[in-house]
Each structure stands twice: as structure tokens, then as C-alpha cells.
Amino acid sequence: MAKLNGGCLCGDVRYTISAAPQHAVYCHCGMCRRSSGAPYTGWVVFTASAVKWTTAEPSEYKSSVQASRRHCRRCGSQISWQSVKRPEFMAITIGTLDTPDAVKPERHVFWADRVPGLEIQDGLPRT
Amino acid sequence: MATLPLSGGCQCGAVRYRIATMPFWAGTCHCGMCRRMCGAPFITWMTVPNTSVTWEGVAAARYRASPIAERGHCPTCGAQLFWQGQHEPHNVDLTVATLDDPGAVRPQMHIYWDDRMPGIELADGLPRYRQGHRDSPLVKP
């Protein structure tokens, strides 16, 4: 399995991932929407120990009692989500991968919370 | 019909804003810079005069993302909030997703459609411009 690489827009935060993804989803929850500024997000989940920051470490923000999110201090790019209960996994934003086509999300989650007017027809399951 | 002022803010609540007039343009951008900054497939922007926007709370962090624009995000949670083009300093684009009611403003078109993330399949019937809507052709359906 080739390594996956990615990073923020300004280049301050770069990462490399040395494991295969566990799974990938699109998330329509309100917290993802607010923190990204986008209608919905795409996440790909890895074993946390496989994710290495190769330049600056991103800023960590505890977005709820359940999880923390990381972003680049300089440009704000959203980088990761990590659960307090399951810190052995880390979700990475598909949009910051150098090759977002390397990941195929399997479903939409928090579909009921989606932005009104969004018409997605990709055939993926919605939960 | 949305009620004015529109209100919104970042995820942690440090940066808040109010918009006194309805946006005169709204569109969904698929460019690679927007994708990196939100970490998400695409961003929907709405354009308003700067004079219509009242910022509250902490000042957004500004980052000069290219020679033509600055982008603004919350310094605490990183939420992407605005795009300020240098050629149009009197107008500003804000992220529709940070509105308290994100259904209040609907996009009219897709821009930079050629750069969209693989696997994105939309059926909203909106026009799709290959690049910017002012200087590129529509994609044939």
C-alpha cells in the first residue's frame, strides 16, 4: 500500500499516512458544517499511529466532550477529527489529501442534518 | 423567505456575524484551494457588500491565500468564514455553511466544476461553469 500524503492550503501542516484506510464517509452533521464552512465533509479513518505530521503540528481544538478537531494555525484548513473514546483512530479530511481520488467514501452519515437544497445522487447509502 | 439580518458564526462561537442585506450572488466552488481550506468536497459562498456585514466577537484570522485574495477563519476552531478579493474590496464572500440557518441562501451555480473532487455526483440542475462564472464556458449537460 502506497503512503497517502496531504496537508493544508498554505503548506505549514503536512502529513503522511502509512496504513490502509479503515473506512470513509461523508458527514452532514452541523458541527462538521460549522467547523469546515462547507455544506458537508468527507472523512477517511486510519489507525492514529499511522498518521505522522511531517512539518508543523496542527492546532487542536476540543469541539465537544466527545472529540477534538485539528486545523492549520495559519490558514485554518481543517485536518482531522479524533474521538476521546477511541483515540486509537484518527479521521482525516479527504479534501486535504494530495490525491482525494485515492479514497472512496462508502456512505453519508447524519443525512437528516444535511443543508436544505443539497441534491446528491451518488447512489451511496444514507444513514 | 429568509429573515434579515442573517446571522452566523464559526463552530466554537468565537467569531459571529450579521448580514443586513440579502446576498446578491451565491455559488458553490469546487476549486482546489477551497477544497484544501475546508477539507471538504466544496464550499458554497454568498456575496454581500462589506458594509452589510457586522462582525462580533474575536477578529477572524486572515491568510493571504493568493495574490488576488485573503481568506478568513476563526483563530480558535479554524472555521472558514470569508473570501476577500482584492479586485472587489467593497464586496465579500461568506460561507453559507456558517449561517445559523444554512438553508436561508441557496447557490445559483457551480464554479470550477472541472476541478471537482472525484466521486461528487450532484443533481441540483444548477449551471456548471468549467472555471469562474465570468470567464469560462458552461459544461454541456
Side-chain angles (χ1 to χ4, degrees), chain B residues 2 8 13-14 18 20 35 46 55 58 66-67 71 73 77 81 83 96 101 115 131 136 139:
Chain B
R18 280 179 291 128
R35 183 166 64 244
M46 54 184 170
W55 292 96
V58 173
S66 75
R71 293 171 184 253
H73 64 271
C77 68
L81 293 163
W83 184 95
V96 171
D101 174 10
D115 300 341
Q131 302 288 318
S136 79
V139 178

Side-chain angles (χ1 to χ4, degrees), chain A:
Chain A
M1 160 95 205
K3 284 188 176 182
L4 282 171
N5 299 304
C8 66
L9 178 63
C10 75
D12 273 9
V13 176
R14 293 285 304 166
Y15 58 77
T16 186
I17 301 163
S18 56
Q22 303 277 328
H23 65 277
V25 298
Y26 294 117
C27 183
H28 297 261
C29 84
M31 296 186 70
C32 275
R33 182 165 66 241
R34 286 264 193 184
S35 57
S36 64
Y40 63 103
T41 52
W43 296 104
V44 54
V45 178
F46 299 93
T47 303
S49 59
V51 180
K52 302 289 184 207
W53 312 117
T54 56
T55 51
E57 287 211 3
S59 176
E60 188 169 355
Y61 161 68
K62 202 160 187 322
S63 54
S64 76
V65 292
Q66 295 174 4
S68 67
R69 294 170 190 256
R70 292 182 178 85
H71 66 272
C72 170
R73 284 179 178 81
R74 183 162 169 239
C75 70
S77 296
Q78 297 290 321
I79 306 286
S80 72
W81 182 94
Q82 198 166 17
S83 156
V84 169
K85 277 188 189 161
R86 306 289 302 275
E88 66 273 29
F89 295 107
M90 186 182 291
I92 294 288
T93 49
I94 294 173
T96 60
L97 290 172
D98 293 343
T99 51
D101 56 330
V103 173
K104 304 272 184 284
E106 295 128 33
R107 61 198 164 99
H108 294 270
V109 299
F110 291 93
W111 180 253
D113 299 343
R114 69 190 180 282
V115 172
L118 195 59
E119 299 278 353
I120 296 170
Q121 282 198 355
D122 54 15
L124 296 178
R126 300 159 174 183
T127 54

Side-chain angles (χ1 to χ4, degrees), chain B residues 1-14:
Chain B
M1 189 65 190
T3 311
L4 293 173
L6 299 171
S7 61
C10 64
Q11 205 273 320
C12 73

Side-chain angles (χ1 to χ4, degrees), chain B residues 21-26 46-49 88 90-92 108 134:
Chain B
T21 57
M22 279 305 286
F24 58 83
W25 182 85
M46 54 184 170
T47 310
V48 292
E88 246 181 279
H90 49 290
N91 292 327
V92 63
Q108 304 150 352
R134 292 180 178 122

